[in-house]
Amino acid sequence: MPWHVPRWVLGWYVIASLVTYLVYRHDKQAAAAHAWRTPESTLLLLGLCGGWPGAIVAQQRLRHKSSKQSFRCAFRITVLINAALFLYLNAPHGLRAGW
C-alpha cells in the first residue's frame, strides 16, 4: 500500500518552515542589535510544529543557533518527535494510516 499523505501536510511544512526561518532571522537581527530576543522555547516549538526544515536552513545560512550545544540537542529531539509523529500518522501500515 503506498503512502497517502494529505496534500495540506506539504503546505503546512512549507508555511511552517518559512515562518520559522523568518523568526530565526528576526532573532538573529535582534541579537546583533541587542534588542528583545525570541525565546529558545519558541524556536523549538516552531520546529516541533513542522518548521524544522526552515530552522535547519536558517541555522546554516544565518549561522544562528548553530553552535550552542544545549539548543542543538533540544532541536534534534524536536525533529525526531516531529518525524515520529509524521510516521505514526502517515505510514501505510502504521497505527493511524490514512487520516
Side-chain angles (χ1 to χ4, degrees), residues 2 5 20 48 50 55 70 72 79 81 88:
V5 179
T20 303
L48 180 64
S70 60
R72 291 178 62 201
V79 172
I81 291 170
Y88 171 76

Side-chain angles (χ1 to χ4, degrees), residues 14-28:
V14 169
I15 291 169
S17 292
L18 178 60
V19 168
T20 303
Y21 181 89
L22 294 173
V23 172
Y24 268 75
R25 186 177 75 181
H26 178 267
D27 189 51
K28 174 78 173 187

